[in-house]
């Protein structure tokens, strides 16, 4: 049986044919450098002896190298663009997790700008160094510092022609550029000449992560949150924050190489932090994920568990809710019949929320022959009446009333509760929720408080994003009642009156009047700033 070589054994058994070109280059460099002193020295390149020895090399590993190996600090005069013509921008994809393709380490990773693969280190014993010798790929970028080097020579390249690669790898924006994003829709083009609009790009569904895609698309169109993640410096923050920041910056990139992004890097971190509750290979519920995501982002940004408004997450979405509860008791009368009585005491609590759940009326169980294809509808204002403080709802042995309190948050998150699960079956309510994407008046659902808002004045909110559920049967010959596959798409507000519908990689314009026709599941509403007239969006779009 033939022996299978390990990577380290392969390095040890490299033939002189692989090493000879590099040795010749190093000899030539040294002979040029020592010519003035009239000295010569024979150079011999020695590969590493063990895998461990290779893996421990980092950016400053030159001091571990044999004294005979000389690294250049700068390119030869007149050759500062050497090898740059070998860069292949078409294969570069910086969206995936930065792991060395050999050691799987995420420490000191470089990307080969010729083939797009990741390698660890750049010293004479590193994987990137031997990739340069074996494949003749000479240009590498450090994924953390964004510095570009030529290997095996080892000098840094400072050339303006590389700025586009650095920007795609780690986009950075000025305050003026971020502010201008909402003023008008800008058109951009990919390397292949495909037209796209920054901020409205597709996202890879690697297997079953569309539940994640729609949530990130919606959050990336919440202006204060988006601006915060695009402009702040998060180098000292946890990986969850850093990876969301770079993903949002790539979604809004006006100089992208392709018209879509991949959420792989952020998803890997989320899978780790959630103990694999949310992964890219299994479908999850967008509302459950959003709740987990917002709470973990809040803590990762240094937010407090007790102090309200201690992070940008809470400053955008957190509000106050008054809950009045009254116990329901039952006593037996003289005839041994149960007689329900209301307890006299009404207990009032104030809770904080980031998500408001809206209950749908029960869908009819039976329909006559003529109405067999009619889908029930309910206005959004009707299911919002849960929070008017008047209607009581029974929950276990309590009767409860809900009322929103001032000040309302800048953004409201609505969860339309469509799914219910018992011991036997999971049910979906297909009722359509009708709404106008503009001019939602929230004043009827808020307890009056002249300190924050004049009584009788409307409190206008405008829709920013609408996440829609779509049930798809697994097979064309599937029968009624067979389990359906859940898919998700996100409708986001564009410039002016335009709306864009994004479902994984598919991006298309849609009409505002057609938004409510789908099964709305999660909505983001933005409060209009004072001074804006009816029909004017808060951000001027």
């Amino acid at each position: 049986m033939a022996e299978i070589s390990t990577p380290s054994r392969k390095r040890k058994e490299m033939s002189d044919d692989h090493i000879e070109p590099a040795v010749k280059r190093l000899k030539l460099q040294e002979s040029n450098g020592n010519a003035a002193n009239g000295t010569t020295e024979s150079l011999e390149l020695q590969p590493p002896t063990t895998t461990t020895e290779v893996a421990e090399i980092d950016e400053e590993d030159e001091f571990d190298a044999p004294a005979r190996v000389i690294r250049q600090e700068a390119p030869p005069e007149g050759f500062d663009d050497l090898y740059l013509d070998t860069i292949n921008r078409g294969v570069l994809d910086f969206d995936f997790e930065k792991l060395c393709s050999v050691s799987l380490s995420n420490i000191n990773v470089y990307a080969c700008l010729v083939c797009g693969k990741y390698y660890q280190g750049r010293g004479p014993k590193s994987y990137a160094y031997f990739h340069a010798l074996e494949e003749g790929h000479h240009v590498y970028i450090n994924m953390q510092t964004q510095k570009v080097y030529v290997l095996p020579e080892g000098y840094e390249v400072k050339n303006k022609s590389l700025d586009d690669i650095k920007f795609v790898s780690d986009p950075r924006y000025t305050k003026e550029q971020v502010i201008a994003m909402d003023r008008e829709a800008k058109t951009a083009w990919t390397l292949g000449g495909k037209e796209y609009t920054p901020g409205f790009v597709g996202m890879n569904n690697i297997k079953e992560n569309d539940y994640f895609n729609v949530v990130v698309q919606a959050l990336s169109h919440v202006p204060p949150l988006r601006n915060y993640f695009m402009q702040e410096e998060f180098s000292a923050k946890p990986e969850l924050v850093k990876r969301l920041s770079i993903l949002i910056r790539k979604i809004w990139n006006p100089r992208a190489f392709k018209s879509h992004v991949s959420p792989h890097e952020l998803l890997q971190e989320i899978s780790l932090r959630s103990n694999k509750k949310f992964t890219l290979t299994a479908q999850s519920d967008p509302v459950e994920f959003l709740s987990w995501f917002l709470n973990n982002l809040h803590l990762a940004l240094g937010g407090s568990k007790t102090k309200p408004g201690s992070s940008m997450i809470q400053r955008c979405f957190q509000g106050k809710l008054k809950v009045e509860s009254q116990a329901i008791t039952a006593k037996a009368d003289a005839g041994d019949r149960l007689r329900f009585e209301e307890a006299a005491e009404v207990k009032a609590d104030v809770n904080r929320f980031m998500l408001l759940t809206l209950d749908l009326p029960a869908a009819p169980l039976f329909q006559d022959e003529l109405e067999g294809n009619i889908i029930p509808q309910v206005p959004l204002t009707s299911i919002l009446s849960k929070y008017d403080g008047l209607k009581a709802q029974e929950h276990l042995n309590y009767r409860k009333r809900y009322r929103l309190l001032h000040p309302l948050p800048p953004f409201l998150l609505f969860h339309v509760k469509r799914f219910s699960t018992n011991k036997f079956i999971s049910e979906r309510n297909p009722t359509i929720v009708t709404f106008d994407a503009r001019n939602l008046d929230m004043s009827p659902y808020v307890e009056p408080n002249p300190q924050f808002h004049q009584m009788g004045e409307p409190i206008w909110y405008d829709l920013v994003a609408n996440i829609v559920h779509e049930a798809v049967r697994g097979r064309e010959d599937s029968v009624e009642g067979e389990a359906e596959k859940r898919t998700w798409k996100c409708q986001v507000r564009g410039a002016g009156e335009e709306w864009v519908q994004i479902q994984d990689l598919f991006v298309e314009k849609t009409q505002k009047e057609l938004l409510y026709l789908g099964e709305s599941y999660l909505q983001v509403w933005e409060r209009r700033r004072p001074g804006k007239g009816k029909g004017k969006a808060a951000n001027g779009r």
Side-chain angles (χ1 to χ4, degrees):
M1 179 181 294
E3 183 180 0
I4 300 176
S5 299
T6 63
S8 59
R9 181 175 297 175
K10 182 180 178 181
R11 302 301 186 195
K12 291 175 65 178
E13 296 175 356
M14 287 175 58
S15 67
D16 293 338
D17 294 336
H18 286 83
I19 301 177
E20 186 177 357
V23 174
K24 288 181 179 179
R25 281 197 299 270
L26 293 172
K27 285 182 178 180
L28 177 61
Q29 293 164 12
E30 186 179 65
S31 62
N32 291 340
N34 295 333
N37 298 329
T39 61
T40 59
E41 181 178 348
S42 175
L43 293 179
E44 180 181 355
L45 185 66
Q46 296 181 354
T49 57
T50 64
T51 304
T52 304
E53 189 176 8
V54 176
E56 293 177 353
I57 300 303
D58 60 15
E59 185 177 358
E60 304 299 331
D61 57 5
E62 284 79 6
F63 63 87
D64 288 330
R68 297 181 298 276
V69 178
I70 297 177
R71 312 297 300 281
Q72 292 181 218
E73 296 182 358
E77 185 176 353
F79 293 92
D80 56 340
D81 59 350
L82 191 63
Y83 303 127
L84 298 191
D85 60 335
T86 64
I87 295 175
N88 185 359
R89 287 169 171 79
V91 301
L92 300 182
D93 190 343
F94 301 118
D95 292 347
F96 290 90
E97 194 167 12
K98 312 304 186 293
L99 297 177
C100 174
S101 58
V102 181
S103 68
L104 300 183
S105 171
N106 61 355
I107 300 173
N108 195 34
V109 175
Y110 289 76
C112 173
L113 297 184
V114 181
C115 67
K117 294 181 180 179
Y118 293 138
Y119 293 97
Q120 184 182 15
R122 63 179 176 87
K125 299 180 183 180
S126 67
Y127 292 118
Y129 187 89
F130 282 96
H131 180 69
L133 293 179
E134 292 176 346
E135 303 296 335
H137 297 174
H138 298 286
V139 194
Y140 298 79
I141 183 171
N142 185 294
M143 298 311 300
Q144 184 174 1
T145 65
Q146 302 301 308
K147 292 182 178 180
V148 178
Y149 296 89
V150 165
L151 299 182
E153 287 82 352
Y155 59 82
E156 182 183 355
V157 181
K158 299 178 181 179
N159 194 301
K160 290 291 184 182
S161 66
L162 300 172
D163 288 351
D164 62 329
I165 296 177
K166 295 179 180 180
F167 190 84
V168 168
S169 172
D170 187 18
R172 298 287 178 172
Y173 306 90
T174 64
K175 184 178 180 180
E176 291 73 20
Q177 289 174 327
V178 172
I179 293 175
M181 289 179 176
D182 293 328
R183 292 177 180 170
E184 58 180 350
K186 292 188 177 180
T187 301
W189 287 267
T190 65
L191 280 178
K194 183 179 179 180
E195 184 178 332
Y196 74 97
T197 303
F200 303 89
V201 297
M203 196 175 293
N204 273 340
N205 185 353
I206 301 170
K207 188 172 182 181
E208 295 286 351
N209 58 272
D210 53 340
Y211 73 93
F212 163 90
N213 292 356
V214 291
V215 169
V216 172
Q217 292 282 13
L219 293 180
S220 68
H221 285 83
V222 175
L225 193 67
R226 177 203 64 194
N227 299 353
Y228 177 72
F229 279 103
M230 291 181 72
Q231 292 183 280
E232 294 295 321
E233 177 57 50
F234 297 111
S235 57
K237 295 294 183 181
E239 280 295 313
L240 186 68
V241 174
K242 290 191 286 188
R243 296 188 183 192
L244 175 62
S245 172
I246 195 169
L247 180 58
I248 291 178
R249 285 185 274 129
K250 287 180 177 180
I251 289 174
W252 288 89
N253 186 1
R255 296 154 56 184
F257 288 170
K258 55 188 186 302
S259 60
H260 64 273
V261 295
S262 175
H264 182 272
E265 194 170 16
L266 177 56
L267 269 169
Q268 290 293 94
E269 181 66 17
I270 288 171
S271 176
L272 178 66
R273 297 301 170 200
S274 66
N275 294 319
K276 296 188 176 180
K277 180 179 180 180
F278 303 106
T279 67
L280 53 83
T281 57
Q283 186 67 267
S284 296
D285 187 275
V287 171
E288 290 181 9
F289 170 68
L290 178 65
S291 300
W292 179 92
F293 196 37
L294 292 182
N295 282 296
N296 279 269
L297 281 175
H298 166 70
L299 296 176
L301 289 169
S304 168
K305 292 184 178 180
T306 57
K307 184 181 178 181
S310 54
S311 75
M312 176 57 71
I313 302 298
Q314 289 188 345
R315 289 194 290 273
C316 284
F317 302 114
Q318 191 179 66
K320 291 190 296 183
L321 179 70
K322 183 175 77 171
V323 182
E324 294 179 324
S325 56
Q326 190 177 44
I328 303 174
T329 59
K331 295 181 180 179
D333 58 13
D336 203 26
R337 293 177 300 178
L338 288 178
R339 178 169 49 87
F340 287 92
E341 296 180 350
E342 292 187 5
E345 182 184 3
V346 177
K347 183 180 178 182
D349 294 313
V350 176
N351 301 325
R352 296 192 177 272
F353 70 88
M354 283 198 292
L355 193 70
L356 292 176
T357 300
L358 308 180
D359 302 313
L360 291 172
L365 294 177
F366 303 101
Q367 294 178 336
D368 59 35
E369 191 173 329
L370 297 177
E371 296 180 345
N373 294 325
I374 296 179
I375 300 176
Q377 299 184 13
V378 60
L380 177 62
T381 52
S382 177
I383 57 178
L384 269 172
S385 62
K386 171 183 178 179
Y387 298 98
D388 61 7
L390 302 175
K391 295 181 180 179
Q393 301 187 10
E394 292 186 7
H395 180 69
L396 299 178
N397 60 333
Y398 283 90
R399 181 179 288 111
K400 294 191 175 186
R401 292 191 296 266
Y402 304 93
R403 192 76 183 266
L404 300 177
L405 298 178
H406 284 294
L408 289 180
F411 293 86
L412 286 172
L413 299 173
F414 293 161
H415 163 216
V416 181
K417 190 174 181 181
R418 294 193 174 275
F419 303 100
S420 59
T421 305
N422 55 36
K423 294 182 180 180
F424 306 102
I425 193 172
S426 176
E427 296 181 345
R428 172 176 63 92
N429 190 328
T431 301
I432 297 297
V433 178
T434 60
F435 58 87
D436 186 352
R438 304 283 285 274
N439 310 318
L440 174 64
D441 183 12
M442 289 297 297
S443 60
Y445 318 106
V446 189
E447 191 165 286
N449 188 338
Q451 181 181 351
F452 293 98
H453 190 77
Q454 295 182 8
M455 295 184 62
E457 291 290 325
I459 305 175
W460 298 117
Y461 275 79
D462 301 302
L463 188 64
V464 173
N466 184 39
I467 293 176
V468 179
H469 168 262
E470 197 172 60
V472 178
R473 291 186 179 179
R475 306 190 313 270
E476 292 184 2
D477 59 346
S478 59
V479 297
E480 188 71 25
E482 185 175 337
E484 296 173 321
K485 180 181 178 183
R486 296 181 185 180
T487 61
W488 307 95
K489 54 187 175 185
C490 184
Q491 298 162 336
V492 290
R493 185 176 65 195
E497 295 293 320
E498 288 187 351
W499 280 83
V500 179
Q501 182 169 283
I502 306 174
Q503 186 172 20
D504 297 332
L505 295 177
F506 299 97
V507 181
E508 60 182 359
K509 291 183 179 180
T510 188
Q511 296 180 17
K512 181 182 67 172
E513 294 76 16
L514 303 180
L515 297 179
Y516 73 88
L517 294 180
E519 294 182 11
S520 296
Y521 188 60
L522 184 62
Q523 294 183 332
V524 184
W525 291 81
E526 179 181 13
R527 183 171 182 172
R528 193 175 303 156
R529 292 198 304 264
K532 296 287 183 180
K534 183 176 180 180
K536 298 290 186 180
N539 59 2
R541 290 188 292 184

